[in-house]
Amino acid sequence: MGFITPLFVWEETDAEVTVRVEVKNVPRATIDVFASSCYLKVNAPPFLFSCDLHGEIVEQTCVATVDAFGVHFRCPKAEPGITWGRLRREVAGGNLANAVEERDLLTERRRASVEQAHARVVAEKRAELKKKERTDKAYLEKQWELERTKRVTIERRKDAEMAEERARLRLWQEDGDKRAASGGNNSDEDVEYDSDDDVTARAAKEKGTRKAREREFADAILTPDAVQAAEGLGSVLVEPKPVDCEMNDKALEAMLVRDDADETESDRVTVERKTLELKQKQKAKASEEARAAKAAHLNRPFPAKRQTIQPVTIEFTKLETDHMPARASREREIREWRRKNTPKTGASRKEHEPADITTREPIYLKDKADSFFRVGDFKSATRAYTNAVDVERTAPHPDGVLVKILANRAACFCALGEFDSGEQDCSDALDLLEKEEGDEDGARWSPGEIKKQRFKLLVRRAMCFGQMGDAAGAACDLREAVRLAPDDSAKQTLLKDLREAERCVAPMTAQETRVIGDERYRNGDTHGALAAYHAALAMPFSFSSEEDEHEVSDEVCYVTRRATERSLAHANRAAVFLSLSDHGAAHDDCEEGLDVLLRAVGGDSASARTAAVSVNLRGDAKTACEKLLHRRAAASAHLRRYQSAALDYEVLVELATDDETKQARSDDARTVRALADEDGGE
């Protein structure tokens, strides 16, 4: 399938160029947009827009916006203040060798700009990747630094706490040694207290004893945190009872040794006794549990008698085919094989019908395809309509659903540019509709519905014929559709299309084609008018009969008349280019039209201003000359060629026949002349 060149409009300012490409009914996901310094491209199948720009743009700041109507480019100029005059850079005609050389230069220019754009994109991606790598590396290094700082802080705190505890223990030891060297009370015996002693007296008697030193040690060691931890473990610190005796250091050491020996021996005997008692208790408990388990085993109830077991039937999954196992992954393949190898009878079809409604119900498939069509996904809609057609054609009694499905699939084919398939679907639907209309038992359509459906199918098939170049087929269908039109508005639209088709059936002259372009331009169809003018200028301008040639020879010579017709076509096409803001093309058309017209009277476009005044042009020749000069002046003014525009307007003032026209052209001439003086010439 070939590509379709979409319609586009453009305009320029001193700073930027704006291009709007009309791409309708195409999913956004399929639109590919590309812009380089001198090349724009929009690939949206079946549309393809490719444009080598006349000047250069700043591709880094070029913005492309995709909306429901197409793609909108806003491209800043690389050299602001310079007017392009035309969007495309075309290959000039003339010498074949020069044309080939210019085409090669244009291709090389496009290739260089595309490679530069790709290189810039690759460089940006690499820079972004390197930036991401640097960021990730910096993040990891930061995490490592945090971990290292945390470890160093923990180690410092541990060392500080250890040093603090060691210093505290050393101070306690030094304090004890100082007290021992001072010769205080070293008695380790119990101190006898009087009943009249108060707390101060008891503390004085107890000073220097072992219990006093142990209490001091405990006070020095048991910090508030240690006391809290001991309380949490259930430990209770008991205040030692004061003793009323005094002992020296040697006696204290001897007492400690005896106490430790006595406590060790006593503890050992106690532990052995308790261990023996525990073992005896465990042994007695184990013996009791064994006797109880044996008694429970002997007294256990007997199980009930088993029931008779019935035989079990085992069935295996049957193979769906002779050569494929029944697997879910091959369900579609199995279903297709079964459909092809199953007899086409009603009972067999019902027996092997798939259980999923999405694969056996045409209405569901049609609704699914309609939803795809509404969102512009024409390929998915075509596949869904095709599945619906396949299922509906295997139905025992086809009804009107198949006609609607074929009509909708034809619309999808038209949207995809497959007009031959669309024409075939419309023809099949019309045949089915005719059978439904003639079958009284199976008809599901009312007369009004049949008329409406036939009208839609005929219009759609006429469009397919027109796109395929079959103007006769399109005209035949349009005549029938005009008869079935539901209202006057639709009828008038179809009559207009019918006239266009009938014109294409009969050979047309260049003059008739130009008249069609004039009619389209007056109706606001600028692109249709442009196509008609292109076709007219591609044909030779001649007359329909010898009598016509004899009639025109009475006014002016035949050569002048033919040149006049061609120059009028150039003038009208220049007007279309001005409407599309293609001022460069409009200026070129005016130059070519003047050259054609004035060569017939012995001049050329270079002497157009002189010839327009000196040569006595009459009728259409004078009208064509004035149109060409006026439109060339307008194009030159837009291209900032103010000097040339002012000269053209001044010649038009001399050619004006009424005061109003002369005044208007004089005002235009003064305005452009002022701009020329400000600009300093051409």
Side-chain angles (χ1 to χ4, degrees):
M1 181 183 69
F3 287 99
I4 301 173
T5 302
L7 301 178
F8 70 94
V9 294
W10 78 285
E11 59 183 11
E12 65 171 332
T13 62
D14 292 341
E16 67 177 9
V17 177
T18 303
V19 184
R20 176 172 287 279
V21 183
E22 295 185 7
V23 181
K24 298 181 179 179
N25 300 327
V26 176
R28 292 191 178 186
T30 63
I31 298 178
D32 181 20
V33 180
F34 177 80
S36 65
S37 60
C38 59
Y39 179 65
L40 298 179
K41 184 179 76 171
V42 177
N43 186 9
F47 298 101
L48 176 62
F49 172 75
S50 179
C51 179
D52 291 291
L53 299 177
H54 185 73
E56 293 190 0
I57 60 174
V58 183
E59 58 180 309
Q60 292 86 348
T61 57
C62 182
V63 179
T65 305
V66 181
D67 53 22
F69 300 99
V71 182
H72 186 202
F73 289 97
R74 293 185 60 189
C75 307
K77 291 183 177 180
E79 298 180 359
I82 297 179
T83 303
W84 293 1
R86 61 177 63 188
L87 179 64
R88 295 178 180 272
R89 173 170 288 189
E90 303 290 352
V91 177
N95 190 356
L96 180 60
N98 293 336
V100 173
E101 183 179 358
E102 289 185 11
R103 188 180 299 107
D104 293 341
L105 292 175
L106 188 62
T107 303
E108 178 63 23
R109 175 174 176 260
R110 179 195 301 179
R111 185 192 61 79
S113 67
V114 171
E115 290 182 354
Q116 182 181 1
H118 283 302
R120 179 180 58 82
V121 172
V122 171
E124 289 178 355
K125 289 184 177 179
R126 288 179 178 174
E128 185 177 357
L129 182 60
K130 290 182 179 180
K131 181 179 179 181
K132 184 177 180 301
E133 291 177 353
R134 290 195 298 269
T135 304
D136 295 342
K137 183 178 180 181
Y139 177 76
L140 289 176
E141 291 178 352
K142 183 177 180 181
Q143 291 294 327
W144 294 341
E145 182 65 22
L146 290 175
E147 293 292 337
R148 188 185 65 80
T149 304
K150 186 184 295 185
R151 289 195 301 271
V152 170
T153 303
I154 292 173
E155 292 295 333
R156 289 177 179 174
R157 289 181 179 178
K158 288 170 60 178
D159 294 342
E161 291 176 359
M162 184 65 73
E164 184 179 356
E165 293 299 327
R166 288 174 178 171
R168 186 184 300 173
L169 181 60
R170 184 172 60 254
L171 290 175
W172 177 80
Q173 290 177 347
E174 292 175 354
D175 187 48
D177 294 340
K178 289 179 180 179
R179 285 198 301 270
S182 63
N185 186 11
N186 295 327
S187 176
D188 290 336
E189 295 180 358
D190 294 336
V191 180
E192 294 182 0
Y193 302 106
D194 293 335
S195 58
D196 297 332
D197 292 340
D198 54 8
V199 177
T200 305
R202 292 187 180 184
K205 292 180 179 181
E206 202 176 56
K207 182 179 180 181
T209 62
R210 185 182 68 177
K211 291 182 179 181
R213 291 196 300 274
E214 289 177 353
R215 187 162 53 250
E216 292 176 0
F217 176 75
D219 292 339
I221 295 300
L222 295 178
T223 61
D225 294 338
V227 173
Q228 185 177 1
E231 290 176 352
L233 297 173
S235 302
V236 180
L237 297 177
V238 180
E239 184 101 9
K241 296 181 180 180
V243 294
D244 192 14
C245 61
E246 295 182 357
M247 298 181 67
N248 54 23
D249 292 340
K250 293 183 178 180
L252 177 61
E253 293 177 1
M255 184 190 73
L256 289 175
V257 172
R258 286 196 305 272
D259 290 345
D260 292 340
D262 293 342
E263 289 176 1
T264 302
E265 183 65 22
S266 175
D267 292 342
R268 185 179 62 77
V269 173
T270 302
V271 170
E272 290 180 355
R273 178 174 56 78
K274 290 184 178 180
T275 302
L276 181 60
E277 292 177 356
L278 181 60
K279 289 182 178 180
Q280 291 177 353
K281 289 181 180 180
Q282 291 178 350
K283 185 176 180 180
K285 183 177 180 181
S287 300
E288 185 65 27
E289 291 177 354
R291 286 194 296 271
K294 185 175 181 181
H297 179 72
L298 294 175
N299 297 328
R300 71 184 185 280
F302 290 100
K305 185 177 180 181
R306 293 183 179 180
Q307 297 179 356
T308 304
I309 300 175
Q310 298 295 332
V312 179
T313 303
I314 300 176
E315 295 182 357
F316 295 94
T317 304
K318 295 181 180 180
L319 292 178
E320 295 285 347
T321 64
D322 296 335
H323 63 288
M324 291 184 292
R327 296 176 182 170
S329 60
R330 309 186 72 173
E331 180 181 354
R332 181 178 299 178
E333 186 179 358
I334 292 171
R335 185 168 61 250
E336 183 66 21
W337 181 90
R338 183 173 56 192
R339 186 182 66 80
K340 291 181 179 179
N341 293 273
T342 301
K344 304 299 182 180
T345 61
S348 176
R349 185 180 294 107
K350 290 181 180 180
E351 180 181 355
H352 295 281
E353 259 186 351
D356 189 1
I357 190 174
T358 62
T359 59
R360 66 181 177 85
E361 182 54 52
I363 298 296
Y364 181 87
L365 291 170
K366 177 181 175 298
D367 293 341
K368 182 179 179 181
D370 292 344
S371 63
F372 283 131
F373 185 86
R374 282 191 293 269
V375 299
D377 190 356
F378 303 118
K379 291 185 178 180
S380 299
T382 302
R383 287 194 292 269
Y385 283 133
T386 302
N387 293 335
V389 168
D390 294 340
V391 174
E392 180 63 20
R393 279 179 173 168
T394 60
H397 299 291
D399 54 13
V401 175
L402 184 56
V403 176
K404 295 180 180 179
I405 295 173
L406 289 172
N408 293 354
R409 189 171 70 171
C412 290
F413 283 135
C414 291
L416 294 173
E418 301 177 13
F419 301 106
D420 52 346
S421 300
E423 182 271 329
Q424 184 63 44
D425 274 354
C426 290
S427 300
D428 293 345
L430 287 169
D431 293 340
L432 288 173
L433 196 62
E434 185 176 356
K435 293 179 182 179
E436 288 285 336
E437 187 177 6
D439 187 3
E440 296 181 357
D441 296 333
R444 302 294 180 89
W445 300 79
S446 65
E449 292 176 342
I450 290 177
K451 180 180 178 181
K452 181 179 178 181
Q453 193 67 26
R454 187 183 298 279
F455 171 77
K456 181 171 71 173
L457 289 169
L458 287 171
V459 173
R460 198 161 288 169
R461 189 170 69 175
M463 184 182 68
C464 293
F465 279 137
Q467 293 293 335
M468 291 189 298
D470 188 357
C476 182
D477 282 345
L478 287 172
R479 290 191 194 97
E480 183 68 16
V482 168
R483 188 178 60 83
L484 301 174
D487 51 40
D488 291 339
S489 176
K491 189 173 183 178
Q492 292 301 323
T493 303
L494 291 176
L495 285 174
K496 180 181 176 182
D497 294 338
L498 178 59
R499 286 194 296 270
E500 292 282 345
E502 290 175 346
R503 287 169 178 170
C504 294
V505 173
M508 289 189 299
T509 63
Q511 294 90 324
E512 293 172 342
T513 308
R514 179 179 64 79
V515 171
I516 293 174
D518 296 343
E519 181 181 352
R520 291 178 178 176
Y521 184 74
R522 284 192 294 269
N523 293 331
D525 184 9
T526 54
H527 293 284
L530 185 62
Y533 292 139
H534 283 327
L537 289 170
M539 294 187 290
F541 281 81
S542 59
F543 301 98
S544 59
S545 66
E546 294 181 358
E547 295 180 359
D548 293 337
E549 296 179 7
H550 180 70
E551 290 176 1
V552 300
S553 65
D554 294 339
E555 297 181 2
V556 290
C557 67
Y558 174 70
V559 176
T560 305
R561 179 60 176 169
R562 188 172 57 183
T564 300
E565 290 292 335
R566 182 171 290 276
S567 62
L568 283 173
H570 280 294
N572 294 352
R573 190 170 69 172
V576 175
F577 282 132
L578 287 174
S579 299
L580 297 175
S581 298
D582 196 349
H583 307 113
H587 187 275
D588 294 345
D589 251 344
C590 294
E591 290 278 347
E592 188 171 354
L594 287 169
D595 187 66
V596 170
L597 180 62
L598 297 177
R599 280 182 184 276
V601 295
D604 54 18
S605 60
S607 59
R609 303 185 186 96
T610 304
V613 178
S614 61
V615 178
N616 187 18
L617 297 175
R618 294 178 298 169
D620 291 342
K622 182 179 180 181
T623 302
C625 183
E626 290 184 2
K627 286 183 177 180
L628 290 168
L629 286 173
H630 192 274
R631 288 161 190 173
R632 187 175 71 172
S636 299
H638 281 95
L639 296 174
R640 294 190 174 185
R641 301 173 184 175
Y642 301 122
Q643 188 70 22
S644 297
L647 293 175
D648 285 341
Y649 277 124
E650 290 169 356
V651 172
L652 289 170
V653 171
E654 297 181 16
L655 296 176
T657 57
D658 57 273
D659 295 337
E660 184 178 357
T661 304
K662 182 176 293 186
Q663 182 63 35
R665 292 178 179 178
S666 298
D667 294 340
D668 293 337
R670 282 194 298 270
T671 302
V672 177
R673 177 64 67 184
L675 293 173
D677 294 339
E678 292 179 2
D679 195 48
E682 287 287 338

